Amino acid sequence: MMMTMTTTMITVTTVMMAVTTVTTTSSVFNIYAYGAWGILSSVALLLLMLLLWQRNRFFFAPSPSPSPSPSPSPSASSLITDSIISNPRTSNFVTDADLKFLMEILDEKLNENDRWEDVLDRRNDRLCYNVKCFNPKNGPLRYLSKTVFKDISSEMLRNFYMDNDYRKQWDKTVVKHTQLQVDKSDGTEVGQTIKKFPLLTPREYVLAWKLWQGSDKTFYCFIKECEHPLAPRQRKYVRVELFRSGWQIREVPGSNACEITMFHQEDAGLNVEMAKLAFRKGIWSYVCKMDNALRRYSVTNYHLSSSVTTSLNLMQKVPACLDTITSNVSPPRPAVFHDQVTVESQKRMIQRRPSRKFIANSLLLLGGATAICLSRGHSSLGAKVAIAYVLTKFSKRGAKSNQSKQS
């Protein structure tokens, strides 16, 4: 192509030179010569650019990019997150295995070398209360109590224990209770409770529970700690990390009474000996207060609260495989109330009263409690004041007993 263009230009130049005069021949030739070389350079440049473009297209062609995978839209993602938060799975919170464990504990089954220790046995003309404790090697204290209420049905007692709304009225330690979730698929409920105790940081309980019904108007409930997205941890509360509790309610044959047998174990961050002493000194007054609230509840309970209605609608049947365990649980015995106390029972109550040796050991424990205090590993002014108050009470009682002995 380049040679053809050169030949054409030479031919044109020769013809023009033959036609023009001699004086103008040189200048015309120069003009056309420069024009021919300009055209030739332009054509060569275009050809070079064309060759370079074809070469780059072959060697440096960009590889096709993979199509991006579709991602969920923000709205769909937020819907999934909201679904998990509002309805997390509760199938493993409370199971039938927990019910089996509860039945075995209520039957006072322990290892061969373990024994329940008697804590308190009190009664009046309306109720009887007995409680034992066991200190396991790898956990907090376990309590097993039995309370018999006179002139109360098992359904009424069940409703009373499941009524969280009424609980806030008579139990002043409960400052807040919130229902977090109700799972209709397996009957599990989840709630958050805030309790306030004197001289202590408020305790937070995030619990799951389930209610079962057995034969002959027998009811079971098991409660345990859990985590829930609607109850994040807060610095102003102490989260109770371990909480296991459950009860059985049934009628006492041959009497207008019913009993509740309760198992309870929790780690609220208290020293074991101090918690045990506080329980021994305060539990009877608490039970009497609960009995008064129960009597008012049985009179004014014309309609069920929302919390009771929810629990009754979710109540499960005791599985058939656990019927044998239910039959092995010791049957309820007729209760001996205050106006029926015999001489033998009075002797047992006197024997269970704390001896001088126990009081001396308690004083020794409380005397060194400024290092232990109420909270495990932490001392506070409020705890020291409480210890000083208890010490004062014990000192006054000891002085009075010495004066009566000397006189």
Side-chain angles (χ1 to χ4, degrees), residues 365-391:
L365 169 66
L366 291 171
T370 52
I372 301 174
C373 291
L374 287 175
S375 182
R376 182 183 303 126
H378 299 278
S379 62
S380 64
L381 179 60
K384 294 178 181 179
V385 171
I387 293 169
Y389 174 79
V390 176
L391 281 173

Side-chain angles (χ1 to χ4, degrees), residues 168-388:
K168 290 185 291 185
Q169 298 180 23
W170 68 267
D171 190 351
K172 298 307 179 182
T173 63
V174 179
V175 296
K176 179 184 177 182
H177 177 79
T178 306
Q179 189 89 356
L180 298 178
Q181 184 181 353
V182 174
D183 194 338
K184 297 181 180 180
S185 62
D186 67 342
T188 302
E189 298 180 69
V190 183
Q192 177 198 38
T193 302
I194 307 298
K195 289 187 177 183
K196 182 68 175 70
F197 301 98
L199 308 175
L200 295 176
T201 305
R203 262 51 179 175
E204 179 188 27
Y205 299 79
V206 180
L207 305 174
W209 63 89
K210 187 184 293 188
L211 181 67
W212 292 270
Q213 180 178 5
S215 57
D216 300 329
K217 297 181 180 180
T218 302
F219 306 98
Y220 297 89
C221 182
F222 192 82
I223 311 103
K224 65 193 302 186
E225 82 286 345
C226 69
E227 296 289 337
H228 198 276
L230 294 180
R233 294 175 181 265
Q234 305 179 57
R235 291 184 178 181
K236 59 182 179 180
Y237 302 134
V238 175
R239 175 70 64 90
V240 175
E241 302 289 348
L242 188 147
F243 186 96
R244 304 296 164 88
S245 184
W247 46 255
Q248 175 202 64
I249 294 177
R250 57 183 177 178
E251 295 183 349
V252 179
S255 65
N256 187 23
C258 70
E259 69 172 22
I260 176 170
T261 307
M262 176 176 289
F263 157 75
H264 187 82
Q265 181 184 30
E266 74 171 282
D267 186 0
L270 303 178
N271 174 265
V272 175
E273 295 300 329
M274 292 296 296
K276 189 175 179 180
L277 181 62
F279 179 88
R280 184 192 295 268
K281 296 300 179 183
I283 188 59
W284 174 243
S285 61
Y286 181 84
V287 171
C288 292
K289 181 179 180 180
M290 181 179 64
D291 177 66
N292 293 332
L294 174 60
R295 305 298 168 175
R296 295 192 302 269
Y297 185 80
S298 62
V299 174
T300 60
N301 184 29
Y302 299 108
H303 64 278
L304 298 178
S305 66
S306 59
S307 60
V308 178
T309 303
T310 301
S311 298
L312 294 182
N313 292 334
L314 298 175
M315 185 165 52
Q316 307 288 300
K317 292 289 185 180
V318 174
C321 59
L322 299 179
D323 285 343
T324 55
I325 300 179
T326 306
S327 61
N328 291 334
V329 177
S330 59
R333 299 178 182 179
V336 179
F337 295 94
H338 182 70
D339 53 356
Q340 302 171 338
V341 175
T342 62
V343 176
E344 183 179 356
S345 62
Q346 286 180 347
K347 291 181 179 179
R348 286 201 305 268
M349 292 175 66
I350 293 174
Q351 290 175 357
R352 289 192 176 118
R353 289 177 181 173
S355 62
R356 287 177 173 271
K357 183 177 180 181
F358 173 78
I359 294 177
N361 291 335
S362 300
L363 286 171
L364 180 62
L365 169 66
L366 291 171
T370 52
I372 301 174
C373 291
L374 287 175
S375 182
R376 182 183 303 126
H378 299 278
S379 62
S380 64
L381 179 60
K384 294 178 181 179
V385 171
I387 293 169

Side-chain angles (χ1 to χ4, degrees), residues 142-160:
R142 293 181 177 181
Y143 286 97
L144 184 63
S145 64
K146 180 174 293 187
T147 312
V148 181
F149 297 93
K150 191 176 181 179
D151 299 327
I152 293 292
S153 65
S154 59
E155 293 94 339
M156 182 63 66
L157 188 59
R158 174 205 63 195
N159 296 346
F160 173 76

